[in-house]
Amino acid sequence: MARITAGVATSHVPAIGRAIDTDQTQADYWKPMFDGFEFSRKWEESEKPDVVFLVYNDHATAFSLDFIPTFAIGVAEDYAVADEGFGPRPVPAVEGHADLAWHIASSVIQQDFDLTVVNKMDVDHGLTVPLSLMFGQPEKWPCKVIPFAVNVVQYPVPSGRRCYNLGKAIRKAIDSFSEDLNVQIWGTGGMSHQLQGPRAGLINQPWDKAFLSDMVDNVARLVSIPPEDYIREAGSEGIELVMWLIMRGALDDQVTELHRHYHVPASNTAIGHLILKNGNNS
């Protein structure tokens, strides 16, 4: 049977991709941020996941303001890298796992979560930057990926509790898939940042660090945070953190924290990163 062995949380700042693509990772500005992912890349080399279920938000590439699904699952065999205005990132195309994706879609919809099923979509920095942070710069990504896009751009957005419970439904779906697969689930985005308005540049380190800690052993507090509190405390783009709760909902109640990294700033954003191993995996 398929099994979720670990969850990963990471920011997905587009400038990180630019730094990687232009060989700036060892520059003074960027080195401390990238140093925090050295453990993660080595860990992935030993873990060798078959599939990553990657939760992210689209940035007006697959969807526009004309059509914004709250939750959308990619069920294609492959996904092209999106052109976000400066040409596609020089990274490999993404190979999907259509069989597992369709199984998850069917199971989760039958658990009363309404998903938009997407047969063709390009994937942007929200998905490719986490892959680069965790896997480096391979000629081909070492595993298959199921993209799962969440609307955190156009209000109303889903609540943290809704996202957490969706994670539980995704876990049930993956556990019932018959093929023997090592699956990881990643929640991306955040941490605190605001890109516009009078509070542009906002970073709230105490709030971020409490969120990181509570992801491990006090998720009940996090699922109760209303969207308005994310905006007030973590900035307008801090709402992306609800995507981490999908990841956390798909894990066991008890998890083991393998790695934590926090760095500010990176392109006016607080960078957060966690690796959580499921409690039932040695």
Side-chain angles (χ1 to χ4, degrees), residues 206-220:
W207 200 88
D208 290 338
K209 291 176 180 178
F211 196 97
L212 286 166
S213 293
D214 289 346
M215 279 287 292
V216 180
D217 55 19
N218 190 19
V219 72

Side-chain angles (χ1 to χ4, degrees), residues 209-278:
K209 291 176 180 178
F211 196 97
L212 286 166
S213 293
D214 289 346
M215 279 287 292
V216 180
D217 55 19
N218 190 19
V219 72
R221 182 186 76 86
L222 301 184
V223 302
S224 299
I225 299 174
E228 295 80 7
D229 285 9
Y230 283 95
I231 298 168
R232 183 180 62 251
E233 300 293 340
S236 54
E237 281 70 44
I239 189 63
E240 292 175 352
L241 287 168
V242 297
M243 297 187 289
W244 290 28
L245 296 178
I246 296 177
M247 175 271 283
R248 187 62 182 87
L251 301 181
D252 296 342
D253 291 340
Q254 301 296 319
V255 294
T256 301
E257 179 183 334
L258 298 183
H259 182 60
R260 182 187 303 203
H261 176 50
Y262 183 76
H263 175 78
V264 295
S267 185
N268 293 323
T269 302
I271 303 300
H273 175 40
L274 283 172
I275 300 177
L276 305 177
K277 196 164 185 65
N278 248 346

Side-chain angles (χ1 to χ4, degrees), residues 45-199:
E45 289 175 1
S46 64
E47 287 295 302
K48 295 180 172 56
D50 299 304
V51 182
V52 167
F53 187 94
L54 202 155
V55 183
Y56 75 110
N57 64 290
D58 176 74
H59 300 80
T61 54
F63 311 111
S64 72
L65 292 179
D66 293 333
F67 175 70
I68 307 177
T70 301
F71 301 118
I73 185 169
V75 296
E77 296 285 354
D78 52 70
Y79 306 89
V81 178
D83 182 347
E84 299 184 64
F86 301 94
R89 287 191 63 212
V91 296
V94 174
E95 183 179 359
H97 196 302
D99 288 347
L100 178 57
W102 276 110
H103 174 83
I104 293 170
S106 177
S107 174
V108 169
I109 290 171
Q110 292 305 312
Q111 294 177 67
D112 299 329
F113 285 90
D114 298 323
L115 305 185
T116 298
V117 176
V118 185
N119 290 287
K120 183 178 181 180
M121 62 192 296
D122 293 350
V123 290
D124 64 21
H125 71 268
L127 184 138
T128 65
V129 165
L131 290 175
S132 295
L133 285 170
M134 297 299 291
F135 294 132
Q137 296 173 283
E139 293 185 3
K140 179 181 179 181
W141 298 121
C143 65
K144 297 182 179 182
V145 177
I146 298 175
F148 192 86
V150 179
N151 170 39
V152 290
V153 175
Q154 177 67 56
Y155 282 76
V157 299
S159 69
R161 186 175 303 278
R162 181 72 168 164
C163 289
Y164 181 73
N165 288 333
L166 173 57
K168 290 187 173 297
I170 292 167
R171 169 66 179 273
K172 183 177 180 180
I174 291 173
D175 282 351
S176 66
F177 190 66
S178 60
E179 186 177 348
D180 184 19
L181 294 173
N182 175 3
V183 180
Q184 292 179 2
I185 182 166
W186 297 6
T188 75
M191 295 188 85
S192 61
H193 63 301
Q194 180 153 328
L195 302 180
Q196 69 288 309
R199 298 200 306 164

